[in-house]
Amino acid sequence: MSEVSNHLSPAKGRYLLSVEEIPPTADDFPAYFVGSTAPNNVEDGIGEIANPQANIDRIAAFLCAQAEPEILIAIHGYNTSLGNFATPESLHRSGVKGWYQEIRDHITRHCDRRSPGLVLIGYRWPSEQIKGGGNDRLSAKFRYAQRSLPIFLRVILGLSFAVLGALVLAAFTANVSNSVGFSFLGVSILVVATIFVSLVLTLFLLRIVGYLRDAYRATYYGVPDLVELVRQIDKAVIEQTSIEDWAENQTENQAGNQTENKTVCRRIKLSFIAHSMGGFVATDTVRVLSDVFDQQSIGNLGAASKAKVPSSNIGHVFSLGRLVLVAPDIPAETIISGRANFLSSSLRRFEETYLFSNEGDMALKLASTAANYASFPTKTREGGYRLGNVVVRSLPENRAPKDRMTQYGIVNFDAAAADGGQLINVQTRSQGGIEPKQIPYVKSDGSEGFISSFLSYLYILPSKALTHRQQDILGSDQKPIAELFTVFDCTDYYELLPKERGQGLKKVGLLSYSIGQRSLNFWNYVRLALATFSGKIDSHGGYFYTPPLPSATGAQPQLSRPDAYLSKQLIYGLACLGFSALITSLSAERDLTAADMSKDTTVAKRALKNLSEVCADRHIQILLAAERYNRDILGIVSEGDRTGY
């Protein structure tokens, strides 16, 4: 193996990425903060930073020395500040730096079954806060918005205000204003001028809010720079071994006879935690990185070509592992299938995929759907809803409303069934194991079709399951991509907080008021919106809430919300451990391992039942993917699992 390259470039310069270590709270595992240096505004310059190559070489060297190398990349969403790390001098942490440091600390304390070869990378793409911050203070944002207003809109705004002023002056002229003709003409002009003023002010407000600007940065800065980071690590790993040794190593790995003491790297598992708009950054990055000439991904031009079964391997050294989407700000259409599903090519490459959602996510319900109203190509309101608002319903829609009680835990698993429990609404598949049952329905042309029962649990409207969206879109030989997701509906998720004066514990909703209704109504949304704007509830980011650290003097902060312990354990655990290792780590049988589960389905079902009970206790609903049940509970792995998606 060649030595780590010593780059003699200047200590500081202009680079696409900055790379720095995340300060640890203990001597644990490698973690790095990687930031895109793209500016918030195109006129802003790029400052000089330390050469990132040395840290990239360290990452590559560490990975090459591991038997099970893994990279976990965490990606933030819209309206996120840079913030600061906590240090021994200042325990206060904030922004995206604080979040990534908290992920590292949580994994260190609670994910002891992680691979020794794990590297955490917290990725920062350029995002601006609504309230301003850094180089773009709120006052500066208003000033820049005024300066950049196009001349055409300036003219419209100026003329409209002039007309409105003239009408006000004319209103004080009695002889003119009392005429019928003036009244009709004046009202007409007033309406038109008001519309033009409202139009310009709306565009001005959209500029200040920054949603569309962040979407642009995510697409044209965030994705390309993350692609370049992965490419640079790929390149650094290859540079630390010869191409010949690398090819030989991959052949031996596939044959299962790896030579001992051979200093070449195995395939590096690449996993993602992506929040909000970061879900788009993660999935689009995978689409770019995927080899378009991979023979397994080339079928025919049919929209539902079964010949397209791409490998999880990407680049020279990586293999896609787990994708955890939390409140993803991408269209809900991505969880169903059809010609419009632009994410299916990347989603089916991952070994495991998870979705964390919340019906009451006001950031997605209000800001995202409103901003995307004019851009997303749909002809219905529900077509523009976001994936982070998809929710789980525990009973079929044909039940009477009074019978539609919320069931928590794994809603499609019957723990009381024979043999330690069974997944329900499934049928036996030809290659072994189970798959969702096919439900017959009548197509719009009068013919009979079949739809996956998995979709009958998922809703984007209170009265319509995703089966309604999928009908007449899905081809007869095509499977819905939703079947690959295991969905965690956290709408009613709560944790416990001590009551005032120490009088026991109270339930506190982390993402909503946890009222246990089948669907939120209008007044629930009004109340939740007010709580979100006032800061009492974080309906979009409450999955990750961590109470403030004690001050440097040791004083404990006053807590208004409890630690989101379970949701963080699920999100971070699934990302760095995987489903099998996570449920064994949550089991009361602490000596239980994934190997034990693979040997005995009864043991595996006990661990699954425990997961269901733990989540039910905190009012989280889970819709378990049949693929997870086949692989991690029944121990059945079939090469044809992804065919047809």
mmCIF file with all atom_site columns, all heavy atoms in Angstrom, residues 245-267:
data_model
loop_
_atom_site.group_PDB
_atom_site.id
_atom_site.type_symbol
_atom_site.label_atom_id
_atom_site.label_alt_id
_atom_site.label_comp_id
_atom_site.label_asym_id
_atom_site.label_entity_id
_atom_site.label_seq_id
_atom_site.pdbx_PDB_ins_code
_atom_site.Cartn_x
_atom_site.Cartn_y
_atom_site.Cartn_z
_atom_site.occupancy
_atom_site.B_iso_or_equiv
_atom_site.pdbx_formal_charge
_atom_site.auth_seq_id
_atom_site.auth_comp_id
_atom_site.auth_asym_id
_atom_site.auth_atom_id
_atom_site.pdbx_PDB_model_num
ATOM 1   N N   . ASP A 1 245 ? -3.981  -4.444  -6.768 1.00 0.00 ? 245 ASP A N   1
ATOM 2   C CA  . ASP A 1 245 ? -4.358  -4.993  -5.469 1.00 0.00 ? 245 ASP A CA  1
ATOM 3   C C   . ASP A 1 245 ? -5.830  -4.779  -5.196 1.00 0.00 ? 245 ASP A C   1
ATOM 4   O O   . ASP A 1 245 ? -6.492  -5.612  -4.587 1.00 0.00 ? 245 ASP A O   1
ATOM 5   C CB  . ASP A 1 245 ? -3.523  -4.349  -4.363 1.00 0.00 ? 245 ASP A CB  1
ATOM 6   C CG  . ASP A 1 245 ? -2.107  -4.896  -4.316 1.00 0.00 ? 245 ASP A CG  1
ATOM 7   O OD1 . ASP A 1 245 ? -1.873  -5.939  -4.950 1.00 0.00 ? 245 ASP A OD1 1
ATOM 8   O OD2 . ASP A 1 245 ? -1.262  -4.283  -3.645 1.00 0.00 ? 245 ASP A OD2 1
ATOM 9   N N   . TRP A 1 246 ? -6.326  -3.628  -5.632 1.00 0.00 ? 246 TRP A N   1
ATOM 10  C CA  . TRP A 1 246 ? -7.747  -3.345  -5.396 1.00 0.00 ? 246 TRP A CA  1
ATOM 11  C C   . TRP A 1 246 ? -8.633  -4.341  -6.141 1.00 0.00 ? 246 TRP A C   1
ATOM 12  O O   . TRP A 1 246 ? -9.567  -4.904  -5.581 1.00 0.00 ? 246 TRP A O   1
ATOM 13  C CB  . TRP A 1 246 ? -8.088  -1.923  -5.840 1.00 0.00 ? 246 TRP A CB  1
ATOM 14  C CG  . TRP A 1 246 ? -9.530  -1.629  -5.614 1.00 0.00 ? 246 TRP A CG  1
ATOM 15  C CD1 . TRP A 1 246 ? -10.544 -1.709  -6.509 1.00 0.00 ? 246 TRP A CD1 1
ATOM 16  C CD2 . TRP A 1 246 ? -10.136 -1.272  -4.381 1.00 0.00 ? 246 TRP A CD2 1
ATOM 17  N NE1 . TRP A 1 246 ? -11.745 -1.423  -5.917 1.00 0.00 ? 246 TRP A NE1 1
ATOM 18  C CE2 . TRP A 1 246 ? -11.524 -1.145  -4.612 1.00 0.00 ? 246 TRP A CE2 1
ATOM 19  C CE3 . TRP A 1 246 ? -9.655  -1.044  -3.095 1.00 0.00 ? 246 TRP A CE3 1
ATOM 20  C CZ2 . TRP A 1 246 ? -12.416 -0.790  -3.610 1.00 0.00 ? 246 TRP A CZ2 1
ATOM 21  C CZ3 . TRP A 1 246 ? -10.545 -0.687  -2.102 1.00 0.00 ? 246 TRP A CZ3 1
ATOM 22  C CH2 . TRP A 1 246 ? -11.894 -0.574  -2.366 1.00 0.00 ? 246 TRP A CH2 1
ATOM 23  N N   . ALA A 1 247 ? -8.349  -4.557  -7.419 1.00 0.00 ? 247 ALA A N   1
ATOM 24  C CA  . ALA A 1 247 ? -9.142  -5.492  -8.205 1.00 0.00 ? 247 ALA A CA  1
ATOM 25  C C   . ALA A 1 247 ? -9.043  -6.901  -7.622 1.00 0.00 ? 247 ALA A C   1
ATOM 26  O O   . ALA A 1 247 ? -10.036 -7.628  -7.524 1.00 0.00 ? 247 ALA A O   1
ATOM 27  C CB  . ALA A 1 247 ? -8.674  -5.480  -9.656 1.00 0.00 ? 247 ALA A CB  1
ATOM 28  N N   . GLU A 1 248 ? -7.830  -7.291  -7.198 1.00 0.00 ? 248 GLU A N   1
ATOM 29  C CA  . GLU A 1 248 ? -7.643  -8.618  -6.611 1.00 0.00 ? 248 GLU A CA  1
ATOM 30  C C   . GLU A 1 248 ? -8.426  -8.740  -5.308 1.00 0.00 ? 248 GLU A C   1
ATOM 31  O O   . GLU A 1 248 ? -9.050  -9.761  -5.027 1.00 0.00 ? 248 GLU A O   1
ATOM 32  C CB  . GLU A 1 248 ? -6.152  -8.848  -6.343 1.00 0.00 ? 248 GLU A CB  1
ATOM 33  C CG  . GLU A 1 248 ? -5.860  -10.213 -5.714 1.00 0.00 ? 248 GLU A CG  1
ATOM 34  C CD  . GLU A 1 248 ? -4.381  -10.352 -5.373 1.00 0.00 ? 248 GLU A CD  1
ATOM 35  O OE1 . GLU A 1 248 ? -3.586  -9.482  -5.805 1.00 0.00 ? 248 GLU A OE1 1
ATOM 36  O OE2 . GLU A 1 248 ? -4.041  -11.306 -4.667 1.00 0.00 ? 248 GLU A OE2 1
ATOM 37  N N   . ASN A 1 249 ? -8.414  -7.668  -4.522 1.00 0.00 ? 249 ASN A N   1
ATOM 38  C CA  . ASN A 1 249 ? -9.131  -7.673  -3.248 1.00 0.00 ? 249 ASN A CA  1
ATOM 39  C C   . ASN A 1 249 ? -10.626 -7.853  -3.448 1.00 0.00 ? 249 ASN A C   1
ATOM 40  O O   . ASN A 1 249 ? -11.282 -8.621  -2.737 1.00 0.00 ? 249 ASN A O   1
ATOM 41  C CB  . ASN A 1 249 ? -8.861  -6.365  -2.501 1.00 0.00 ? 249 ASN A CB  1
ATOM 42  C CG  . ASN A 1 249 ? -9.624  -6.275  -1.188 1.00 0.00 ? 249 ASN A CG  1
ATOM 43  O OD1 . ASN A 1 249 ? -9.369  -7.029  -0.261 1.00 0.00 ? 249 ASN A OD1 1
ATOM 44  N ND2 . ASN A 1 249 ? -10.566 -5.346  -1.120 1.00 0.00 ? 249 ASN A ND2 1
ATOM 45  N N   . GLN A 1 250 ? -11.187 -7.151  -4.445 1.00 0.00 ? 250 GLN A N   1
ATOM 46  C CA  . GLN A 1 250 ? -12.618 -7.268  -4.698 1.00 0.00 ? 250 GLN A CA  1
ATOM 47  C C   . GLN A 1 250 ? -12.987 -8.674  -5.159 1.00 0.00 ? 250 GLN A C   1
ATOM 48  O O   . GLN A 1 250 ? -14.010 -9.230  -4.768 1.00 0.00 ? 250 GLN A O   1
ATOM 49  C CB  . GLN A 1 250 ? -13.064 -6.234  -5.744 1.00 0.00 ? 250 GLN A CB  1
ATOM 50  C CG  . GLN A 1 250 ? -12.850 -4.793  -5.300 1.00 0.00 ? 250 GLN A CG  1
ATOM 51  C CD  . GLN A 1 250 ? -13.438 -4.527  -3.922 1.00 0.00 ? 250 GLN A CD  1
ATOM 52  O OE1 . GLN A 1 250 ? -14.627 -4.747  -3.692 1.00 0.00 ? 250 GLN A OE1 1
ATOM 53  N NE2 . GLN A 1 250 ? -12.599 -4.075  -3.001 1.00 0.00 ? 250 GLN A NE2 1
ATOM 54  N N   . THR A 1 251 ? -12.131 -9.280  -5.982 1.00 0.00 ? 251 THR A N   1
ATOM 55  C CA  . THR A 1 251 ? -12.382 -10.653 -6.437 1.00 0.00 ? 251 THR A CA  1
ATOM 56  C C   . THR A 1 251 ? -12.350 -11.626 -5.266 1.00 0.00 ? 251 THR A C   1
ATOM 57  O O   . THR A 1 251 ? -13.200 -12.503 -5.136 1.00 0.00 ? 251 THR A O   1
ATOM 58  C CB  . THR A 1 251 ? -11.335 -11.061 -7.485 1.00 0.00 ? 251 THR A CB  1
ATOM 59  O OG1 . THR A 1 251 ? -11.392 -10.138 -8.574 1.00 0.00 ? 251 THR A OG1 1
ATOM 60  C CG2 . THR A 1 251 ? -11.604 -12.470 -7.985 1.00 0.00 ? 251 THR A CG2 1
ATOM 61  N N   . GLU A 1 252 ? -11.365 -11.458 -4.378 1.00 0.00 ? 252 GLU A N   1
ATOM 62  C CA  . GLU A 1 252 ? -11.250 -12.346 -3.226 1.00 0.00 ? 252 GLU A CA  1
ATOM 63  C C   . GLU A 1 252 ? -12.392 -12.140 -2.249 1.00 0.00 ? 252 GLU A C   1
ATOM 64  O O   . GLU A 1 252 ? -12.872 -13.089 -1.628 1.00 0.00 ? 252 GLU A O   1
ATOM 65  C CB  . GLU A 1 252 ? -9.902  -12.125 -2.541 1.00 0.00 ? 252 GLU A CB  1
ATOM 66  C CG  . GLU A 1 252 ? -8.719  -12.599 -3.375 1.00 0.00 ? 252 GLU A CG  1
ATOM 67  C CD  . GLU A 1 252 ? -7.393  -12.341 -2.677 1.00 0.00 ? 252 GLU A CD  1
ATOM 68  O OE1 . GLU A 1 252 ? -7.395  -11.609 -1.666 1.00 0.00 ? 252 GLU A OE1 1
ATOM 69  O OE2 . GLU A 1 252 ? -6.374  -12.870 -3.136 1.00 0.00 ? 252 GLU A OE2 1
ATOM 70  N N   . ASN A 1 253 ? -12.833 -10.886 -2.093 1.00 0.00 ? 253 ASN A N   1
ATOM 71  C CA  . ASN A 1 253 ? -13.970 -10.622 -1.214 1.00 0.00 ? 253 ASN A CA  1
ATOM 72  C C   . ASN A 1 253 ? -15.203 -11.353 -1.711 1.00 0.00 ? 253 ASN A C   1
ATOM 73  O O   . ASN A 1 253 ? -15.959 -11.940 -0.946 1.00 0.00 ? 253 ASN A O   1
ATOM 74  C CB  . ASN A 1 253 ? -14.259 -9.119  -1.145 1.00 0.00 ? 253 ASN A CB  1
ATOM 75  C CG  . ASN A 1 253 ? -13.306 -8.405  -0.203 1.00 0.00 ? 253 ASN A CG  1
ATOM 76  O OD1 . ASN A 1 253 ? -12.667 -9.036  0.637  1.00 0.00 ? 253 ASN A OD1 1
ATOM 77  N ND2 . ASN A 1 253 ? -13.214 -7.092  -0.349 1.00 0.00 ? 253 ASN A ND2 1
ATOM 78  N N   . GLN A 1 254 ? -15.431 -11.292 -3.029 1.00 0.00 ? 254 GLN A N   1
ATOM 79  C CA  . GLN A 1 254 ? -16.603 -11.944 -3.597 1.00 0.00 ? 254 GLN A CA  1
ATOM 80  C C   . GLN A 1 254 ? -16.500 -13.464 -3.470 1.00 0.00 ? 254 GLN A C   1
ATOM 81  O O   . GLN A 1 254 ? -17.496 -14.160 -3.287 1.00 0.00 ? 254 GLN A O   1
ATOM 82  C CB  . GLN A 1 254 ? -16.759 -11.547 -5.068 1.00 0.00 ? 254 GLN A CB  1
ATOM 83  C CG  . GLN A 1 254 ? -17.074 -10.067 -5.263 1.00 0.00 ? 254 GLN A CG  1
ATOM 84  C CD  . GLN A 1 254 ? -17.027 -9.651  -6.717 1.00 0.00 ? 254 GLN A CD  1
ATOM 85  O OE1 . GLN A 1 254 ? -16.855 -10.476 -7.606 1.00 0.00 ? 254 GLN A OE1 1
ATOM 86  N NE2 . GLN A 1 254 ? -17.185 -8.359  -6.971 1.00 0.00 ? 254 GLN A NE2 1
ATOM 87  N N   . ALA A 1 255 ? -15.281 -13.972 -3.541 1.00 0.00 ? 255 ALA A N   1
ATOM 88  C CA  . ALA A 1 255 ? -15.094 -15.415 -3.426 1.00 0.00 ? 255 ALA A CA  1
ATOM 89  C C   . ALA A 1 255 ? -15.059 -15.884 -1.976 1.00 0.00 ? 255 ALA A C   1
ATOM 90  O O   . ALA A 1 255 ? -15.116 -17.074 -1.693 1.00 0.00 ? 255 ALA A O   1
ATOM 91  C CB  . ALA A 1 255 ? -13.794 -15.826 -4.121 1.00 0.00 ? 255 ALA A CB  1
ATOM 92  N N   . GLY A 1 256 ? -14.945 -14.932 -1.034 1.00 0.00 ? 256 GLY A N   1
ATOM 93  C CA  . GLY A 1 256 ? -14.953 -15.283 0.376  1.00 0.00 ? 256 GLY A CA  1
ATOM 94  C C   . GLY A 1 256 ? -13.638 -15.825 0.890  1.00 0.00 ? 256 GLY A C   1
ATOM 95  O O   . GLY A 1 256 ? -13.584 -16.463 1.940  1.00 0.00 ? 256 GLY A O   1
ATOM 96  N N   . ASN A 1 257 ? -12.517 -15.567 0.189  1.00 0.00 ? 257 ASN A N   1
ATOM 97  C CA  . ASN A 1 257 ? -11.226 -16.095 0.643  1.00 0.00 ? 257 ASN A CA  1
ATOM 98  C C   . ASN A 1 257 ? -10.195 -14.968 0.726  1.00 0.00 ? 257 ASN A C   1
ATOM 99  O O   . ASN A 1 257 ? -9.114  -15.044 0.175  1.00 0.00 ? 257 ASN A O   1
ATOM 100 C CB  . ASN A 1 257 ? -10.732 -17.194 -0.294 1.00 0.00 ? 257 ASN A CB  1
ATOM 101 C CG  . ASN A 1 257 ? -10.635 -16.718 -1.738 1.00 0.00 ? 257 ASN A CG  1
ATOM 102 O OD1 . ASN A 1 257 ? -11.111 -15.635 -2.073 1.00 0.00 ? 257 ASN A OD1 1
ATOM 103 N ND2 . ASN A 1 257 ? -10.016 -17.527 -2.579 1.00 0.00 ? 257 ASN A ND2 1
ATOM 104 N N   . GLN A 1 258 ? -10.583 -13.901 1.450  1.00 0.00 ? 258 GLN A N   1
ATOM 105 C CA  . GLN A 1 258 ? -9.678  -12.765 1.617  1.00 0.00 ? 258 GLN A CA  1
ATOM 106 C C   . GLN A 1 258 ? -8.378  -13.205 2.303  1.00 0.00 ? 258 GLN A C   1
ATOM 107 O O   . GLN A 1 258 ? -8.406  -13.880 3.336  1.00 0.00 ? 258 GLN A O   1
ATOM 108 C CB  . GLN A 1 258 ? -10.367 -11.682 2.464  1.00 0.00 ? 258 GLN A CB  1
ATOM 109 C CG  . GLN A 1 258 ? -9.467  -10.526 2.863  1.00 0.00 ? 258 GLN A CG  1
ATOM 110 C CD  . GLN A 1 258 ? -9.064  -9.704  1.656  1.00 0.00 ? 258 GLN A CD  1
ATOM 111 O OE1 . GLN A 1 258 ? -9.888  -9.434  0.788  1.00 0.00 ? 258 GLN A OE1 1
ATOM 112 N NE2 . GLN A 1 258 ? -7.813  -9.326  1.588  1.00 0.00 ? 258 GLN A NE2 1
ATOM 113 N N   . THR A 1 259 ? -7.247  -12.851 1.723  1.00 0.00 ? 259 THR A N   1
ATOM 114 C CA  . THR A 1 259 ? -5.955  -13.195 2.303  1.00 0.00 ? 259 THR A CA  1
ATOM 115 C C   . THR A 1 259 ? -5.722  -12.396 3.583  1.00 0.00 ? 259 THR A C   1
ATOM 116 O O   . THR A 1 259 ? -5.979  -11.193 3.623  1.00 0.00 ? 259 THR A O   1
ATOM 117 C CB  . THR A 1 259 ? -4.824  -12.879 1.302  1.00 0.00 ? 259 THR A CB  1
ATOM 118 O OG1 . THR A 1 259 ? -5.096  -13.594 0.101  1.00 0.00 ? 259 THR A OG1 1
ATOM 119 C CG2 . THR A 1 259 ? -3.478  -13.315 1.878  1.00 0.00 ? 259 THR A CG2 1
ATOM 120 N N   . GLU A 1 260 ? -5.243  -13.062 4.635  1.00 0.00 ? 260 GLU A N   1
ATOM 121 C CA  . GLU A 1 260 ? -5.004  -12.384 5.895  1.00 0.00 ? 260 GLU A CA  1
ATOM 122 C C   . GLU A 1 260 ? -3.870  -11.381 5.731  1.00 0.00 ? 260 GLU A C   1
ATOM 123 O O   . GLU A 1 260 ? -2.942  -11.545 4.953  1.00 0.00 ? 260 GLU A O   1
ATOM 124 C CB  . GLU A 1 260 ? -4.648  -13.400 6.982  1.00 0.00 ? 260 GLU A CB  1
ATOM 125 C CG  . GLU A 1 260 ? -5.819  -14.306 7.365  1.00 0.00 ? 260 GLU A CG  1
ATOM 126 C CD  . GLU A 1 260 ? -5.464  -15.202 8.529  1.00 0.00 ? 260 GLU A CD  1
ATOM 127 O OE1 . GLU A 1 260 ? -4.363  -15.051 9.087  1.00 0.00 ? 260 GLU A OE1 1
ATOM 128 O OE2 . GLU A 1 260 ? -6.303  -16.057 8.879  1.00 0.00 ? 260 GLU A OE2 1
ATOM 129 N N   . ASN A 1 261 ? -3.966  -10.294 6.549  1.00 0.00 ? 261 ASN A N   1
ATOM 130 C CA  . ASN A 1 261 ? -2.938  -9.248  6.601  1.00 0.00 ? 261 ASN A CA  1
ATOM 131 C C   . ASN A 1 261 ? -2.770  -8.503  5.282  1.00 0.00 ? 261 ASN A C   1
ATOM 132 O O   . ASN A 1 261 ? -1.765  -7.851  5.049  1.00 0.00 ? 261 ASN A O   1
ATOM 133 C CB  . ASN A 1 261 ? -1.583  -9.836  7.027  1.00 0.00 ? 261 ASN A CB  1
ATOM 134 C CG  . ASN A 1 261 ? -1.657  -10.513 8.378  1.00 0.00 ? 261 ASN A CG  1
ATOM 135 O OD1 . ASN A 1 261 ? -2.351  -10.040 9.280  1.00 0.00 ? 261 ASN A OD1 1
ATOM 136 N ND2 . ASN A 1 261 ? -0.959  -11.626 8.511  1.00 0.00 ? 261 ASN A ND2 1
ATOM 137 N N   . LYS A 1 262 ? -3.732  -8.602  4.417  1.00 0.00 ? 262 LYS A N   1
ATOM 138 C CA  . LYS A 1 262 ? -3.626  -7.883  3.147  1.00 0.00 ? 262 LYS A CA  1
ATOM 139 C C   . LYS A 1 262 ? -4.139  -6.464  3.379  1.00 0.00 ? 262 LYS A C   1
ATOM 140 O O   . LYS A 1 262 ? -5.263  -6.262  3.831  1.00 0.00 ? 262 LYS A O   1
ATOM 141 C CB  . LYS A 1 262 ? -4.472  -8.567  2.078  1.00 0.00 ? 262 LYS A CB  1
ATOM 142 C CG  . LYS A 1 262 ? -4.006  -8.250  0.650  1.00 0.00 ? 262 LYS A CG  1
ATOM 143 C CD  . LYS A 1 262 ? -4.755  -9.123  -0.323 1.00 0.00 ? 262 LYS A CD  1
ATOM 144 C CE  . LYS A 1 262 ? -4.232  -8.974  -1.740 1.00 0.00 ? 262 LYS A CE  1
ATOM 145 N NZ  . LYS A 1 262 ? -2.918  -9.551  -1.927 1.00 0.00 ? 262 LYS A NZ  1
ATOM 146 N N   . THR A 1 263 ? -3.338  -5.465  3.141  1.00 0.00 ? 263 THR A N   1
ATOM 147 C CA  . THR A 1 263 ? -3.674  -4.091  3.487  1.00 0.00 ? 263 THR A CA  1
ATOM 148 C C   . THR A 1 263 ? -4.388  -3.395  2.339  1.00 0.00 ? 263 THR A C   1
ATOM 149 O O   . THR A 1 263 ? -3.913  -2.409  1.786  1.00 0.00 ? 263 THR A O   1
ATOM 150 C CB  . THR A 1 263 ? -2.393  -3.310  3.856  1.00 0.00 ? 263 THR A CB  1
ATOM 151 O OG1 . THR A 1 263 ? -1.463  -3.428  2.768  1.00 0.00 ? 263 THR A OG1 1
ATOM 152 C CG2 . THR A 1 263 ? -1.776  -3.845  5.118  1.00 0.00 ? 263 THR A CG2 1
ATOM 153 N N   . VAL A 1 264 ? -5.492  -3.941  1.950  1.00 0.00 ? 264 VAL A N   1
ATOM 154 C CA  . VAL A 1 264 ? -6.340  -3.297  0.965  1.00 0.00 ? 264 VAL A CA  1
ATOM 155 C C   . VAL A 1 264 ? -7.744  -3.213  1.537  1.00 0.00 ? 264 VAL A C   1
ATOM 156 O O   . VAL A 1 264 ? -8.123  -4.003  2.387  1.00 0.00 ? 264 VAL A O   1
ATOM 157 C CB  . VAL A 1 264 ? -6.359  -4.046  -0.383 1.00 0.00 ? 264 VAL A CB  1
ATOM 158 C CG1 . VAL A 1 264 ? -5.046  -3.871  -1.096 1.00 0.00 ? 264 VAL A CG1 1
ATOM 159 C CG2 . VAL A 1 264 ? -6.662  -5.515  -0.180 1.00 0.00 ? 264 VAL A CG2 1
ATOM 160 N N   . CYS A 1 265 ? -8.507  -2.239  1.071  1.00 0.00 ? 265 CYS A N   1
ATOM 161 C CA  . CYS A 1 265 ? -9.788  -1.920  1.692  1.00 0.00 ? 265 CYS A CA  1
ATOM 162 C C   . CYS A 1 265 ? -10.929 -2.738  1.099  1.00 0.00 ? 265 CYS A C   1
ATOM 163 O O   . CYS A 1 265 ? -10.975 -2.995  -0.098 1.00 0.00 ? 265 CYS A O   1
ATOM 164 C CB  . CYS A 1 265 ? -10.070 -0.433  1.522  1.00 0.00 ? 265 CYS A CB  1
ATOM 165 S SG  . CYS A 1 265 ? -11.436 0.172   2.509  1.00 0.00 ? 265 CYS A SG  1
ATOM 166 N N   . ARG A 1 266 ? -11.843 -3.150  1.959  1.00 0.00 ? 266 ARG A N   1
ATOM 167 C CA  . ARG A 1 266 ? -13.065 -3.780  1.495  1.00 0.00 ? 266 ARG A CA  1
ATOM 168 C C   . ARG A 1 266 ? -14.029 -2.702  1.015  1.00 0.00 ? 266 ARG A C   1
ATOM 169 O O   . ARG A 1 266 ? -13.791 -1.497  1.194  1.00 0.00 ? 266 ARG A O   1
ATOM 170 C CB  . ARG A 1 266 ? -13.705 -4.580  2.635  1.00 0.00 ? 266 ARG A CB  1
ATOM 171 C CG  . ARG A 1 266 ? -12.857 -5.755  3.129  1.00 0.00 ? 266 ARG A CG  1
ATOM 172 C CD  . ARG A 1 266 ? -13.508 -6.391  4.346  1.00 0.00 ? 266 ARG A CD  1
ATOM 173 N NE  . ARG A 1 266 ? -12.710 -7.484  4.869  1.00 0.00 ? 266 ARG A NE  1
ATOM 174 C CZ  . ARG A 1 266 ? -12.844 -8.745  4.501  1.00 0.00 ? 266 ARG A CZ  1
ATOM 175 N NH1 . ARG A 1 266 ? -13.744 -9.076  3.589  1.00 0.00 ? 266 ARG A NH1 1
ATOM 176 N NH2 . ARG A 1 266 ? -12.086 -9.681  5.015  1.00 0.00 ? 266 ARG A NH2 1
ATOM 177 N N   . ARG A 1 267 ? -15.157 -3.120  0.445  1.00 0.00 ? 267 ARG A N   1
ATOM 178 C CA  . ARG A 1 267 ? -16.190 -2.170  0.057  1.00 0.00 ? 267 ARG A CA  1
ATOM 179 C C   . ARG A 1 267 ? -16.634 -1.364  1.270  1.00 0.00 ? 267 ARG A C   1
ATOM 180 O O   . ARG A 1 267 ? -16.889 -1.913  2.335  1.00 0.00 ? 267 ARG A O   1
ATOM 181 C CB  . ARG A 1 267 ? -17.387 -2.899  -0.545 1.00 0.00 ? 267 ARG A CB  1
ATOM 182 C CG  . ARG A 1 267 ? -17.208 -3.256  -2.003 1.00 0.00 ? 267 ARG A CG  1
ATOM 183 C CD  . ARG A 1 267 ? -17.579 -2.101  -2.908 1.00 0.00 ? 267 ARG A CD  1
ATOM 184 N NE  . ARG A 1 267 ? -17.257 -2.381  -4.304 1.00 0.00 ? 267 ARG A NE  1
ATOM 185 C CZ  . ARG A 1 267 ? -17.434 -1.500  -5.290 1.00 0.00 ? 267 ARG A CZ  1
ATOM 186 N NH1 . ARG A 1 267 ? -17.924 -0.314  -5.035 1.00 0.00 ? 267 ARG A NH1 1
ATOM 187 N NH2 . ARG A 1 267 ? -17.115 -1.807  -6.522 1.00 0.00 ? 267 ARG A NH2 1
#
